Amino acid sequence: MDWNTVKTEAREKFRGSCRVCPVCNGVVCAGEVPGMGGLGTGSSFRHNIEALAAYRLNLRTVHSVSQPELSCKILGMTLSMPIIGAAIGGIAMNMNGALSEEDYDAAVVSGCCKAGTICMTGDGPKPEVFEAGLKAILSEQGRGIPIIKPRGNEKIIELAKRAADAGAPAFGVDVDAAALINMTNAGQPVGPKNQAELEYIKKHAPIPFIVKGIMTPDEAAACYQAGVDAIVVSNHGGRVLDGTPGTAEVLPEIADVVKGRVTILVDGGVRSGADVLKMLALGADAVMLGRPLAIGAVGGQAEGAALVLTKMAAELRAAMVMTGTQDVESVTSQILW
């Protein structure tokens, strides 16, 4: 299986919900929500791409780094690379049913495991979205992280306990889904969470707690004060609010406030191993991969998802050699021009 074959197969199965463009930048699919695009003008999606592209890497080859170390520890887990699969749910609605919910989750969770890392799974207005993720995690002996919509606190805790029972090493809440109409219309209202609510969830959670959707330093600090274990710097792939900055724009200021206090994950516009390295240099401990992983899963199931990750790991390794970076846990901003 090769990447071009996977992309060709994915393009056919998406049936227009994703064009598998040569450059995945949110231009062609702007406004396509539901779908794989960005909300409204699509500017938030595009800003993720543009923000990363604005950073340059210092090419350095007078050094002794030839075998860089890609493995890292995140929330007690040893991963083969600092890349985690992002949670994507609602496959029927957003991907024209390119795969069933169960088949998609099985592909990304298994594919990430094959590549030596881990995947997050989604939640949605239909119970089968969360259930499909939990089933995939169980099939891989707990190697997955369920992400829960910002429902009522007791419901979140109930689902977190189910995640723990499935062997999951952590769970998350994507607070950036606070205004999703499809959840409210389905009788499952969602909303923002204040610091006291985050503290309450953390206090009653049986496993580490991740808060996804942090875009400002003050909210990162509130998460730290609430005792959460990790944050995800994310604008939900540009799918919930038009006109936000790109995640790479806000990441350095957030890292200045909470780096070393909570684990910092980031998503948004990561398309290559060089992009991964840039995010690490800007303050992330690891990145999350969404749309490229979805293309791999739709085009080649678990093998296709694993192929995306191994390809990106090879690119990351090469970028580390070409910047004189020995290991992913000690990347500094000095590699940026």
Side-chain angles (χ1 to χ4, degrees):
M1 182 176 290
D2 64 87
W3 182 226
N4 285 331
T5 301
V6 169
K7 288 193 294 183
T8 298
E9 184 70 17
R11 189 176 292 110
E12 293 177 2
K13 288 186 175 180
F14 275 124
R15 297 193 299 276
S17 60
C18 173
R19 282 72 156 186
V20 191
C21 298
V23 178
C24 177
N25 57 11
V27 172
V28 174
C29 56
E32 296 183 1
V33 180
M36 296 293 284
L39 188 72
T41 68
S43 66
S44 296
F45 183 161
R46 295 195 305 275
H47 292 164
N48 283 339
I49 303 293
E50 293 163 0
L52 263 176
Y55 288 100
R56 313 285 194 259
L57 291 167
N58 285 319
L59 191 154
R60 296 181 184 276
T61 52
V62 182
H63 56 73
S64 57
V65 176
S66 60
Q67 298 293 328
E69 179 57 61
L70 269 64
S71 66
C72 61
K73 283 193 174 182
I74 300 293
L75 297 175
M77 301 174 286
T78 299
L79 306 179
S80 64
M81 64 186 82
I83 307 172
I84 294 169
I88 297 179
I91 307 307
M93 178 175 60
N94 292 309
M95 300 185 192
N96 256 343
L99 292 175
S100 70
E101 204 78 43
E102 283 196 5
D103 286 347
Y104 179 81
D105 280 343
V108 291
V109 171
S110 179
C112 285
C113 288
K114 288 177 185 294
T117 186
I118 197 166
C119 192
M120 296 181 176
T121 59
D123 187 15
K126 294 183 178 180
E128 51 260 39
V129 177
F130 185 79
E131 297 298 332
L134 215 56
K135 181 178 179 180
I137 291 168
L138 278 164
S139 71
E140 291 292 346
Q141 292 75 52
R143 191 80 173 179
I145 300 173
I147 301 298
I148 303 164
K149 294 298 179 213
R151 306 164 177 272
N153 294 342
E154 297 305 328
K155 185 63 176 180
I156 289 172
I157 293 164
E158 173 195 328
L159 295 177
K161 289 178 178 177
R162 291 192 59 204
D165 290 342
F171 79 101
V173 173
D174 53 344
V175 293
D176 49 356
L180 286 187
I181 299 299
N182 63 340
M183 292 292 295
T184 301
N185 288 346
Q188 301 178 60
V190 293
K193 297 293 177 186
N194 59 38
Q195 182 175 324
E197 289 178 289
L198 297 179
E199 290 174 357
Y200 182 84
I201 293 168
K202 171 60 183 174
K203 180 180 178 180
H204 293 87
I207 49 179
F209 176 28
I210 302 166
V211 175
K212 175 183 171 291
I214 301 304
M215 288 288 287
T216 63
D218 63 308
E219 293 208 335
C223 287
Y224 166 67
Q225 293 295 334
V228 306
D229 300 279
I231 61 170
V232 183
V233 178
S234 176
N235 63 9
H236 210 89
R239 296 170 58 79
V240 293
L241 179 64
D242 204 3
T244 74
T247 54
E249 293 179 86
V250 302
L251 176 57
E253 291 184 354
I254 290 173
D256 283 345
V257 174
V258 296
K259 181 72 172 180
R261 296 178 170 184
V262 298
T263 297
I264 302 174
L265 308 177
V266 64
D267 66 15
V270 174
R271 300 292 182 265
S272 69
D275 286 341
V276 174
L277 188 58
K278 288 179 183 180
M279 287 296 204
L280 298 181
L282 293 171
D285 295 304
V287 307
M288 287 167 38
L289 194 65
R291 290 177 177 93
L293 191 64
I295 291 170
V298 170
Q301 290 74 53
E303 187 178 349
L307 177 66
V308 172
L309 291 162
T310 54
K311 174 179 176 292
M312 198 164 285
E315 294 167 352
L316 172 59
R317 185 175 291 107
M320 291 173 70
V321 170
M322 297 304 292
T323 56
T325 305
Q326 179 59 55
D327 63 83
V328 298
E329 294 190 323
S330 59
V331 182
T332 73
S333 60
Q334 292 181 348
I335 69 168
L336 300 174
W337 179 78

